[in-house]
Amino acid sequence: MTPIWLKQSPSGIILSLHCQPGAKQTKVVGLHDGCLKISLQAPALENKANEHLLAWLSKQLKVPQKQIQFVSGQNSRKKRVEIWGSITVEQIEQILAP
């Protein structure tokens, strides 16, 4: 069964994330309110945390960063990110599952 934070969309895969900026290291820390909770080793100012999140997801999932974009929540802790390309829901779940 697909986790609640992972959803296939017509154009790609949507991740529902709860991000906690200003952490010691960037990592998945579990689930929060139906979202995958990620601590980010970047401050929540001048878009640094968002840029760091996209770079980190790109590296973890081995997907070019241009294939990852925000759907919503750039200015909130609760974010929705869409990924497209050759990666599957199963692969994302395997790599990111808490």
Side-chain angles (χ1 to χ4, degrees):
M1 191 173 136
T2 312
I4 190 168
W5 51 270
L6 201 51
K7 198 165 103 200
Q8 186 78 52
S9 76
S11 54
I13 298 166
I14 307 263
L15 308 184
S16 297
L17 305 173
H18 179 90
C19 296
Q20 193 175 14
K24 279 195 174 88
Q25 69 182 103
T26 299
K27 62 179 182 183
V28 172
V29 287
L31 298 173
H32 178 80
D33 199 17
C35 298
L36 186 67
K37 187 172 183 182
I38 298 179
S39 61
L40 294 172
Q41 188 187 5
L45 55 112
E46 294 166 13
N47 213 22
K48 281 190 170 62
N50 285 343
E51 288 169 13
H52 184 77
L53 173 66
L54 294 183
W56 183 81
L57 284 171
S58 166
K59 188 175 167 205
Q60 297 301 311
L61 302 173
K62 297 177 177 59
V63 171
Q65 201 167 324
K66 63 178 188 286
Q67 289 178 222
I68 305 173
Q69 73 178 22
F70 285 101
V71 178
S72 64
Q74 285 93 320
N75 300 323
S76 137
R77 283 179 173 230
K78 197 168 184 174
K79 304 178 186 299
R80 289 173 69 227
V81 176
E82 185 172 31
I83 300 170
W84 62 95
S86 57
I87 194 160
T88 65
V89 168
E90 292 75 22
Q91 288 170 312
I92 293 176
E93 182 182 359
Q94 205 173 14
I95 295 167
L96 295 181

